[in-house]
Amino acid sequence: MAEKYGEIPPKFTKKWWEYFWYYYKWHVIVTAAALVIAAVTIVQCASREKYDMNVVYAGHMHYSEEETERIEDVFSEYVTDIDNNGERSVFFQTLMFSDGAGSEEYDYAMQTKLDFTFTDDYTYVYLMDEIEAKLYINRDSVSDTFENVSVYAPDTEAEVLTAADGTAYAVNLRDSSLLKDNGIYCDDLYLLIRYNNNKNEESMQSHNDALNIAKELVK
């Protein structure tokens, strides 16, 4: 009897492998790529230098090395020396998307890396362009992922992005004095602060630092 993709040859025969590869090769390629990316990301996270805070940018803007260093320097003024090494350090991770024809695998890899950052105990500040911010605002799990803007900017007059539940989870930083005064691009930039589900002392301190940075950014 004919199946969805035609008559299926007997399993594990030469024709079956040809059939499988013809109809499912992209499923295999994408799954394999995701596994490789996840493995590489885990190794990178385990071996990389530790910072008092990690800040993530997700969007379509390219930040130069000079701009990246400037952001790290500015943000480090508002963090705690959590690891007690005598320095207040911030790591600015940029995940740039393409959305162009033929870039599907690259963008999928970036999305996998972005989702993985939500498992980190020191990553609470997210800067996104409007496209990426709206993608996360529209996720069913948004209330369990990000803080309500009113937690750190109750009186803001800036534009906010509101989820289906009527709650604002992202605030526009177009008029951020902190960013503008330091020459940091902010025209298409939204701030989202990740909700803290980890109650260990260092993670709680990092989250408090993130809220303090948020308050400075929305001024």
Side-chain angles (χ1 to χ4, degrees):
M1 181 166 130
E3 298 290 336
K4 181 179 178 181
Y5 298 119
E7 188 172 348
I8 303 176
K11 284 187 177 181
F12 308 117
T13 62
K14 180 181 179 181
K15 287 189 175 181
W16 182 85
W17 283 113
E18 292 174 349
Y19 166 90
F20 179 84
W21 186 247
Y22 181 81
Y23 287 110
Y24 297 101
K25 64 180 178 182
W26 289 113
H27 296 76
V28 174
I29 291 172
V30 170
T31 301
L35 290 173
V36 170
I37 292 165
V40 170
T41 302
I42 290 172
V43 172
Q44 289 176 336
C45 290
S47 59
R48 77 184 182 192
E49 180 183 348
K50 300 299 182 182
Y51 295 87
D52 297 309
M53 174 176 288
N54 302 316
V55 177
V56 174
Y57 169 77
H60 300 74
M61 167 69 185
H62 171 70
Y63 283 93
S64 67
E65 183 176 348
E66 180 183 350
E67 290 171 316
T68 296
E69 292 177 354
R70 197 182 310 146
I71 291 171
E72 292 174 343
D73 289 342
V74 170
F75 281 35
S76 66
E77 297 179 14
Y78 302 95
V79 303
T80 304
D81 180 16
I82 293 177
D83 56 10
N84 295 313
N85 67 347
E87 298 179 358
R88 295 181 295 173
S89 58
V90 172
F91 174 61
F92 183 55
Q93 180 179 13
T94 58
L95 300 175
M96 191 173 69
F97 292 82
S98 174
D99 291 343
S103 67
E104 292 82 3
E105 290 183 41
Y106 167 80
D107 287 334
Y108 185 81
M110 290 298 101
Q111 192 64 57
T112 300
K113 294 188 73 170
L114 176 56
D115 288 338
F116 191 80
T117 65
F118 291 100
T119 66
D120 187 85
D121 291 345
Y122 302 96
T123 305
Y124 292 102
V125 179
Y126 287 81
L127 304 176
M128 299 184 183
D129 65 13
E130 185 173 3
I131 292 175
E132 286 302 309
K134 284 184 174 179
L135 286 175
Y136 275 90
I137 289 297
N138 289 318
R139 285 190 172 187
D140 292 337
S141 59
V142 62
S143 62
D144 297 321
T145 307
F146 295 110
E147 294 280 7
N148 187 325
V149 169
S150 65
V151 171
Y152 52 88
D155 302 317
T156 184
E157 296 181 359
E159 174 193 354
V160 296
L161 295 181
T162 304
D165 64 2
T167 303
Y169 294 101
V171 58
N172 191 293
L173 296 179
R174 185 182 300 110
D175 297 319
S176 171
S177 297
L178 183 64
L179 297 181
K180 292 171 70 176
D181 290 348
N182 286 280
I184 298 170
Y185 173 84
C186 56
D187 287 348
D188 181 19
L189 199 63
Y190 288 81
L191 170 68
L192 299 90
I193 299 296
R194 191 178 125 221
Y195 183 79
N196 182 24
N197 292 305
N198 193 331
K199 301 307 178 184
N200 73 62
E201 185 176 349
E202 292 183 348
S203 185
M204 291 177 66
Q205 182 59 60
S206 184
H207 182 257
N208 287 336
D209 289 347
L211 292 176
N212 289 334
I213 287 177
K215 292 173 183 177
E216 295 296 325
L217 285 170
V218 298
K219 287 183 178 179

